[in-house]
Amino acid sequence: MRGAVVAAAAAAVGNMLQGWDNATIAGALLYMRRDLPALQAHPALQGLVVATSLIGATIVTTFSGPLSDSRGRRPMLIASALLYSLAGLLMLWSPNVPILLLARLVDGFAIGLAVTLVPVYISETAPPDTRGLLNTLPQLTGSTGMFLSYCMVFLITLAPIPNWRLMLGVLLLPALLYLLLTIFFLSESPRWLVSKGRMKEARTVLQMLRGRQDVSAEMALLVEGLTTGRDTAIEEYVVGPTDEASGLAPGSMFGSAVTLASRQGSMLDHLKDPVVALLDSLHDMNPPAGGTTDVPNLGSMIGVHDRPPIDWDEENSGDDDGDIAAPLLTMEGEAATSTVGIGGGWQLAWKWTEGVAADGTRQSTVKRMYLHEEQAEGVHAAALVSQSALCTKKEAEAEVEGGWREVLEPGGVRHALVCGVAIQILQQFSGISGVLLYTPQILEQAGVGVLLSRLGLRDDSASILISGVTTLLMLPSIGVAMRLMDVSGRRSLLLWTIPLLVASLAVLVAASVAPMAAAAHAAVCTGSVVVYLCCFVMGFGPIPNILCAEIFPTRVRGLCIAICSLAFWLADIAVTYTLPVMLASLGLAGLFAIYAAVCCVALVFVALRVPETKGLPLEVIIDFFNVGAKGTLPNLHDDDDHY
């Protein structure tokens, strides 16, 4: 998977520049206030300097998603690198506040493109079993950028007259590096290429990303991902002998999971989103003894021959490599197979039926089936069944058309969008942007200079040094998150780390109101901030972006991500702009008490509405949301199909 890792790492440098910017503006603010009297006199203007980049990110987010859907992910990331470079030049110059605001606006454009599209790009290029790990790279690079930036800012603070313009302008150097990486190391997303009918390019990119020539199964999956599947249902199939005692065949993981979810009866279970209940039960099931194999003997219900041709790319007309119907379903040197593995223990199959309409004409239907691997002998298999992309070109193109109509209609897309928007807003109102951007000021107000007084450092240098050390401590926490993201899962990490966020904020509030010595007060506050940040980057930091990049179908993924990102930036602006005023009026205790209350709300929301997506192909996830949008879980044993 070297190709996928290289592509993810190159794209994640865009988030490193965001982290770099967060740290430099946090350090530079201490000196801007002294050099620009207007900032010292008007706290709201100081907040505007910081929030202008967020305003820029919000503006660009409104069209970046749809533009990436039409023009591609790679051009947008190259544009982000160019904007970062221009912002670095402007901030290095910045003779006055208006030019500084312009530079921050351009910087926001670059940040908005990177933060919105990097998770999308990584999700669309990574394999299912390592998607969580690779999509945690942006959090790692962002925190690394913050640490390196704090080191740079600290060295500049040791000068007799620290230069805040230099602190901000150094952004130009990593921005140029990012530009080179996006040009030479980023290929276009294979899912986007398939959505535009460029099958040859998509196959070539997939072969490079996966490091192998045979990518037929994944190509088939990407083609199927073009259709929405509004009619998604869970159907049961029994292949082979059943267990007479139970009426079921052994090894039914998916089927047993659905049945278990449908029979849950506690009050909490009834409050859960149906998608959450279903996937909780599915992930709780242990794999069958002896491992898993392909579902056998499905030839009687799945047609593997005489599929209607579909020409998605005129440049491939008449070329076997561009024919979706046969090559995607046939391994080299082997006969056509009835199922193909698509990763994460899932298989893709097709249900082909023919009938006669009322007017006497023959009609045929192709439906795709996502099946989970089961035991080889005697299979009771449940499958997600919905409309296949294997139809005529006209019908397929009609299915591919998405946009606002599809987003606003009831169904899996809108169901997923509500989840994505809510978790992005809750993430920001948990206070992370305020803590990151104002860490030096928070620590300075907490009296952190007392801890380093023997080193002969000024209070501002001491607060920046501890901020840098705090950021360094975040890196091992991100390493733990990368290890657990595809093992424990996204939902589990959130449920474990959010209570720790609440506890750290509660300690910070208690330390702010309880009388104690200056050194003890500074130590407790610093420790609370460190625990908060380390726990945040393990869960609530990376996971909202990962989830939002996973739960939408390909053709509207950019649009839906833009909506989620817009919610993110609006909440970010609200938190960042109001924090200096709230800090001055409420103090540390009142401010962090509010953040703690929001974290409690977030914990309840995650428990009831955020599903586990680890190991699932992206195309399977949206079909689960289609099922959940109906509001009920099926009982599989009422009407079984037997073969």
Side-chain angles (χ1 to χ4, degrees), residues 107-160:
D107 186 49
F109 292 159
I111 291 174
L113 287 175
V115 171
T116 300
L117 298 179
V118 167
V120 175
Y121 179 83
I122 295 177
S123 289
E124 292 186 345
T125 56
D129 54 347
T130 59
R131 190 176 62 238
L133 183 151
L134 293 181
N135 235 333
T136 311
L137 279 176
Q139 185 73 63
L140 178 65
T141 57
S143 297
T144 301
M146 291 181 62
F147 171 69
L148 295 176
S149 181
Y150 271 127
C151 291
M152 179 269 298
V153 170
F154 174 71
L155 292 176
I156 294 177
T157 64
L158 299 180

Side-chain angles (χ1 to χ4, degrees), residues 472-561:
L472 178 62
L473 294 175
M474 291 161 58
L475 300 182
S477 300
I478 300 172
V480 173
M482 295 178 71
R483 175 67 180 86
L484 296 177
M485 197 65 69
D486 292 308
V487 179
S488 298
R490 294 77 153 133
R491 174 179 164 83
S492 296
L493 280 176
L494 287 174
L495 293 177
W496 278 101
T497 56
I498 292 179
L500 295 177
L501 296 181
V502 176
S504 62
L505 291 171
V507 171
L508 187 59
V509 171
S512 300
V513 298
M516 61 179 65
H521 177 262
V524 171
C525 289
T526 302
S528 298
V529 171
V530 169
V531 172
Y532 174 89
L533 292 176
C534 289
C535 292
F536 190 89
V537 297
M538 288 181 63
F540 221 174
I543 290 176
N545 283 339
I546 294 175
L547 283 172
C548 289
E550 292 177 331
I551 60 179
F552 303 115
T554 301
R555 91 214 131 273
V556 293
R557 183 170 290 125
L559 174 60
C560 292
I561 286 291

Side-chain angles (χ1 to χ4, degrees), residues 261-310:
S262 65
R263 293 178 179 177
Q264 291 176 333
S266 70
M267 181 178 296
L268 178 61
D269 293 326
H270 285 299
L271 291 175
K272 279 185 179 179
D273 187 303
V275 181
V276 176
L278 174 57
L279 291 181
D280 275 356
S281 300
L282 178 63
H283 287 296
D284 286 341
M285 301 299 292
N286 295 321
T292 58
T293 60
D294 287 347
V295 177
N297 306 322
L298 295 181
S300 61
M301 73 174 185
I302 301 171
V304 295
H305 301 292
D306 301 325
R307 289 191 179 86
I310 177 171

Side-chain angles (χ1 to χ4, degrees), residues 203 216-217 220 304-310 319-332 334-337 340 350 390:
R203 184 184 294 272
S216 299
V304 295
H305 301 292
D306 301 325
R307 289 191 179 86
I310 177 171
D319 187 342
D320 287 343
D321 191 45
D323 181 10
I324 299 304
L328 295 183
L329 311 180
T330 305
M331 303 303 178
E332 296 181 4
E334 299 178 350
T337 58
V340 288
W350 290 265
L390 293 177

Side-chain angles (χ1 to χ4, degrees), residues 8 46 49 80 119 175 193 210-211 266 277 305 386 426 499 526 554 575 593 633:
Q46 174 186 332
V49 169
S80 173
L193 291 171
R210 302 296 181 255
S266 70
H305 301 292
S386 54
L426 288 171
T526 302
T554 301
V575 171
L633 291 171

Side-chain angles (χ1 to χ4, degrees), residues 182-339:
T182 55
I183 292 175
F184 294 107
F185 290 92
L186 288 189
S187 57
E188 186 52 83
S189 160
R191 280 182 166 84
W192 183 84
L193 291 171
V194 167
S195 73
K196 299 304 177 183
R198 294 157 62 175
M199 299 300 172
K200 274 190 172 181
E201 293 180 56
R203 184 184 294 272
T204 300
V205 171
L206 266 181
Q207 289 170 339
M208 181 272 295
L209 292 173
R210 302 296 181 255
R212 64 175 186 270
Q213 289 299 308
D214 184 8
V215 293
S216 299
E218 192 163 359
M219 283 291 292
L221 176 67
L222 301 193
V223 172
E224 289 298 350
L226 297 176
T227 52
T228 305
R230 295 185 181 91
D231 59 343
T232 304
I234 296 178
E235 297 180 3
E236 182 185 37
Y237 300 93
V238 176
V239 183
T242 62
D243 183 341
E244 295 182 359
S246 63
L248 299 175
S252 177
M253 291 175 61
F254 186 14
S256 299
V258 177
T259 304
L260 177 62
S262 65
R263 293 178 179 177
Q264 291 176 333
S266 70
M267 181 178 296
L268 178 61
D269 293 326
H270 285 299
L271 291 175
K272 279 185 179 179
D273 187 303
V275 181
V276 176
L278 174 57
L279 291 181
D280 275 356
S281 300
L282 178 63
H283 287 296
D284 286 341
M285 301 299 292
N286 295 321
T292 58
T293 60
D294 287 347
V295 177
N297 306 322
L298 295 181
S300 61
M301 73 174 185
I302 301 171
V304 295
H305 301 292
D306 301 325
R307 289 191 179 86
I310 177 171
D311 181 14
W312 289 91
D313 194 344
E314 293 182 0
E315 71 184 63
N316 293 330
S317 296
D319 187 342
D320 287 343
D321 191 45
D323 181 10
I324 299 304
L328 295 183
L329 311 180
T330 305
M331 303 303 178
E332 296 181 4
E334 299 178 350
T337 58
S338 55
T339 63

